[in-house]
Amino acid sequence: MVWQVSATYLDCYKAVSVFTLSGPRAAEKGHKTAQSILSRVRSIFKFAGFEDFTRVHIQAIGAEESYGPHAKQSLQLGQREVAMWLAVEHPRREALDIFRREIAPAGTGMAPGIWGGLGGRPKSSPVLKLFSFLYPKSKVQAMVGFANGNNEVVAPTPALAMDNDKAVTPRPRGIDDGIDVKPGSHSFKLSDLAYLRSGDKGNTANIGVIARHPSFVPYLRKHLTAEMVENYFEHLLDLPHCYRGAARVARYELTGINAFNFVLRRALGGGGIASLRPDPQGKGYGQMIADLQLHNLPDIVVLAGDL
């Protein structure tokens, strides 16, 4: 018998600056401004004897950069207003104090069109990382403390034997409940066929896909594969194609609610307060995939209306 333990530890410190910028080629100017700020800070680091940043993340919010290769070309060419996200990480808090002081000069001496710093000067904060593990119950005594000062020892719960006759068998891939999944000539956005919502657990994101009609489930099962979702989010995954023998994206089916759950491992840049990304919990991932096109389907939306 084991305890499931979730521990956190201090890894380093981070700071985030967000400044707005407008005008032609706003994203391009924003990236150059951010790089200029980093170059200036790094020269001070070198003089002061500090090591370089351990991580840096720069993103133009408003230019669909979180979409990677799926961003709309018109936005890449023509956005005129963006918010630049500049996040840095360093093992020493004093180094981030230098970074904080060098943000303000960008508004007066760098690219034209910088007109606001959201939240004022950035503040440094600790990066706490999660470490989860299993620990034998025989090696530690659990105790609950009460407000009245009493303590109660928690006895380990005996392991329950599973009745093999009632064990849940994983659903084999490819089962279609006897429904003939015929090809067709229609294409649908995923949001036409399903409700979408996403969230996180540590550095893992999950995307829930709930069919808008039960008759859509066999088509989603066949066309919306784990491989398709992995390819779509390739630019956000911090894993090699095979990590410790596990796929980067796994699909699970929830038959009772006509839904699928996609689990994306190491997809959040560290996740939570350990991430430097503007969406550290993957809350936007479900909506990002809403425009994903599923091809070669019959007109299942019309067919669903006839059922």
Side-chain angles (χ1 to χ4, degrees), residues 242-275:
C242 184
Y243 175 72
R244 295 181 180 176
R248 296 191 296 177
V249 176
R251 185 184 75 178
Y252 300 91
E253 184 166 351
L254 291 73
T255 55
I257 59 172
N258 302 317
F260 300 88
N261 185 31
F262 290 86
V263 177
L264 290 69
R265 297 182 177 89
R266 291 200 177 181
L268 298 170
I273 59 175
S275 178

Side-chain angles (χ1 to χ4, degrees), residues 5-300:
V5 184
S6 292
T8 57
Y9 63 95
L10 175 63
D11 186 62
C12 51
Y13 299 90
K14 72 173 184 179
V16 180
S17 174
V18 183
F19 58 90
T20 48
L21 188 144
S22 60
R25 307 192 312 278
E28 179 185 350
K29 290 190 294 186
H31 274 280
K32 289 185 177 181
T33 299
Q35 292 292 354
S36 296
I37 293 172
L38 293 177
S39 178
R40 179 176 174 133
V41 172
R42 283 173 171 139
S43 66
I44 300 175
F45 280 2
K46 187 175 181 180
F47 179 80
F50 288 125
E51 58 190 282
D52 196 6
F53 297 110
T54 51
R55 286 192 300 164
V56 171
H57 183 81
I58 303 172
Q59 184 172 332
I61 301 174
E64 293 196 8
E65 290 184 357
S66 61
Y67 280 80
H70 313 294
K72 292 182 179 179
Q73 190 69 17
S74 59
L75 279 176
Q76 292 176 340
L77 295 175
Q79 71 284 347
R80 295 183 297 176
E81 186 174 276
V82 297
M84 292 304 303
W85 178 279
L86 173 56
V88 295
E89 181 185 88
H90 200 279
R92 298 182 61 177
R93 193 166 225 158
E94 310 93 284
L96 295 184
D97 288 338
I98 297 174
F99 169 77
R100 293 176 60 244
R101 293 194 295 267
E102 295 304 315
I103 296 297
T108 56
M110 293 190 184
I114 298 176
W115 47 270
L118 304 182
R121 283 186 175 180
K123 299 178 177 62
S124 60
S125 59
V127 173
L128 301 176
K129 291 190 175 179
L130 173 69
F131 182 75
S132 300
F133 59 96
L134 303 177
Y135 195 78
K137 290 186 176 181
S138 60
K139 293 187 176 183
V140 65
Q141 187 178 65
M143 184 175 293
V144 178
F146 295 91
N148 60 9
N150 294 331
N151 296 323
E152 180 178 326
V153 176
V154 179
T157 304
L160 299 177
M162 178 175 285
D163 186 345
N164 290 331
D165 294 333
K166 297 180 180 180
V168 178
T169 303
R171 184 186 185 91
R173 288 190 174 189
I175 289 182
D176 60 5
D177 295 330
I179 299 175
D180 187 12
V181 183
K182 297 179 179 179
S185 59
H186 290 77
S187 296
F188 294 96
K189 292 190 298 184
L190 181 56
S191 58
D192 293 332
L193 307 179
Y195 303 102
L196 304 160
R197 193 172 180 90
S198 56
D200 72 304
K201 280 292 180 289
N203 197 20
T204 296
N206 76 288
I207 302 173
V209 179
I210 306 175
R212 292 181 180 269
H213 192 278
S215 66
F216 297 166
V217 172
Y219 296 94
L220 291 172
R221 185 184 301 126
K222 179 177 180 179
H223 293 273
L224 187 64
T225 64
E227 293 77 13
M228 175 180 284
V229 174
E230 179 178 332
N231 290 336
Y232 190 89
F233 287 102
E234 173 76 32
H235 60 289
L236 294 176
L237 301 177
D238 294 332
L239 270 177
H241 284 278
C242 184
Y243 175 72
R244 295 181 180 176
R248 296 191 296 177
V249 176
R251 185 184 75 178
Y252 300 91
E253 184 166 351
L254 291 73
T255 55
I257 59 172
N258 302 317
F260 300 88
N261 185 31
F262 290 86
V263 177
L264 290 69
R265 297 182 177 89
R266 291 200 177 181
L268 298 170
I273 59 175
S275 178
L276 298 184
R277 299 178 184 177
D279 184 9
Q281 296 173 316
K283 296 296 186 181
Y285 284 18
Q287 297 307 300
M288 286 170 61
I289 204 173
D291 291 330
L292 180 64
Q293 293 281 332
L294 303 181
H295 302 290
N296 302 318
L297 278 70
D299 195 350
I300 57 176

